[in-house]
Amino acid sequence: YFEATKDVATLREAFPVLCDMIEWHQKGTRYGIAVDHADGLLNAGVPGVQLTWMDAKVGDWVVTPRIGKPVEINALWYNALRVMSTFATILGEPDRFSASADAAKRNFARFVRADGEGLYDVIDGPDGGDATIRPNQIFAVSLPHSPLTAVDQRNVVRACRRHLLTAYGLRSLAPGSPGYHPHYRGGALEHDGGYHQGPVWPWLLGPFCLATYRIGGDAKAAQDQLAAISDVIEDQAVGTIGEICDGDPPHQPRGAPVQAWSVACTLDAWRTLRQV
């Protein structure tokens, strides 16, 4: 909102609330959400609860629990701290955020995989690090403030391109992984059990294209990656973009025929890439 309007008066009004939000994350709140003061990264999750966008649950079975330090949550946390630092400067307020951002950036390197295959999906979980290749890592490159080096950014994009990219979005899990579902079909158990275990999510294509632009600087090439999404606009509800597609070709459309974040993230990437 501020980027679009430069509305300092509203920013000043909202700033105390934003500070309160940051402080609650730092001192801790429910569901195990709290900054680990040893490394400045954000912990989240308790047994039996699904917190991230990968939130499928069947009875008592949390399909993707992701307890620990999820990669996209910490990319968002770092980005939020940098934004708050900028806001403090604009408003002439004390910058109480840069030191925390520096710590988060320094320790975000713990997500980097030694094999060059991008980032761990979760670190410091009950079973240690989760090296499952998922699209959540793309936000460590696509958000305005990245905690990664240029080399690590390229490795993230390369890993997502190699294992997850389709014409209509990113797969939620790499083919060949245990639990990969090539098709979204069957009853409720199979549906929910495979919801984030392979299906392609169009909303992730926007962040992927923004990440591609960040590492290569070619806005047209990044925009060209969005071109195939026009086929999806004609597949379900005409003129909009649906929820998911099958993980395996031909990527049959599935799920809700109209999905707000599929539309919003595509438009946001298109708008951003046209303005650079």
Side-chain angles (χ1 to χ4, degrees):
Y1 171 80
F2 182 78
E3 184 181 75
T5 65
K6 308 303 182 200
D7 182 354
V8 176
T10 298
L11 174 60
R12 190 175 302 279
E13 182 179 353
F15 189 70
V17 180
L18 300 176
C19 291
D20 191 54
M21 293 163 65
I22 295 292
E23 289 168 6
W24 273 108
H25 280 77
Q26 290 172 326
K27 63 188 178 184
T29 184
R30 60 182 178 173
Y31 304 132
I33 299 169
V35 167
D36 182 346
H37 294 290
D39 60 11
L41 299 174
L42 200 59
N43 268 309
V46 292
V49 177
Q50 67 283 29
L51 288 183
T52 72
W53 79 275
M54 291 188 163
D55 59 353
K57 186 176 182 181
V58 184
D60 294 330
W61 174 35
V62 176
V63 182
T64 51
R66 306 185 71 225
I67 296 172
K69 297 169 182 171
V71 64
E72 81 282 13
I73 300 301
N74 279 283
L76 287 161
W77 173 241
Y78 172 73
N79 193 76
L81 291 168
R82 288 296 185 210
V83 170
M84 289 296 289
S85 175
T86 300
F87 285 167
T89 299
I90 291 169
L91 297 174
E93 298 285 345
D95 182 356
R96 296 180 280 123
F97 312 100
S98 287
S100 296
D102 290 343
K105 180 177 183 177
R106 185 166 56 251
N107 290 294
F108 199 91
R110 297 183 55 220
F111 283 99
V112 177
R113 292 174 49 150
D115 60 5
E117 288 283 359
L119 307 178
Y120 284 93
D121 190 55
V122 180
I123 60 173
D124 294 348
D127 300 316
D130 181 0
T132 305
I133 297 178
R134 295 188 182 274
N136 305 303
Q137 60 186 300
I138 200 65
F139 293 95
V141 185
S142 66
L143 288 167
H145 301 277
S146 173
L148 296 173
T149 67
V151 171
D152 291 332
Q153 290 175 19
R154 287 195 294 271
N155 285 342
V156 167
V157 173
R158 183 174 60 193
C160 289
R161 185 186 300 278
R162 179 185 302 155
H163 299 287
L164 305 174
L165 181 64
T166 74
Y168 305 136
L170 300 186
R171 295 181 178 96
S172 44
L173 181 65
S177 301
Y180 175 74
H181 285 233
H183 304 286
Y184 184 74
R185 58 176 62 148
L189 178 62
E190 189 173 359
H191 269 176
D192 292 342
Y195 199 34
H196 304 106
Q197 297 289 84
V200 173
W201 290 75
W203 78 277
L204 294 166
L205 188 60
F208 179 83
C209 293
L210 293 176
T212 300
Y213 170 69
R214 167 167 268 166
I215 67 166
D218 189 337
K220 184 180 184 306
Q223 275 186 305
D224 287 346
Q225 291 179 135
L226 286 170
I229 208 74
S230 62
D231 292 339
V232 176
I233 293 174
E234 300 178 0
D235 280 342
Q236 292 178 295
V238 174
T240 187
I241 302 172
E243 181 183 20
I244 56 175
C245 303
D246 282 341
D248 276 9
H251 308 298
Q252 181 75 18
R254 306 287 185 184
V258 179
Q259 191 81 349
W261 62 353
S262 299
V263 175
C265 291
T266 301
L267 287 176
D268 182 57
W270 188 262
R271 174 193 61 84
T272 301
L273 293 167
R274 286 189 65 182
Q275 290 177 346
V276 297

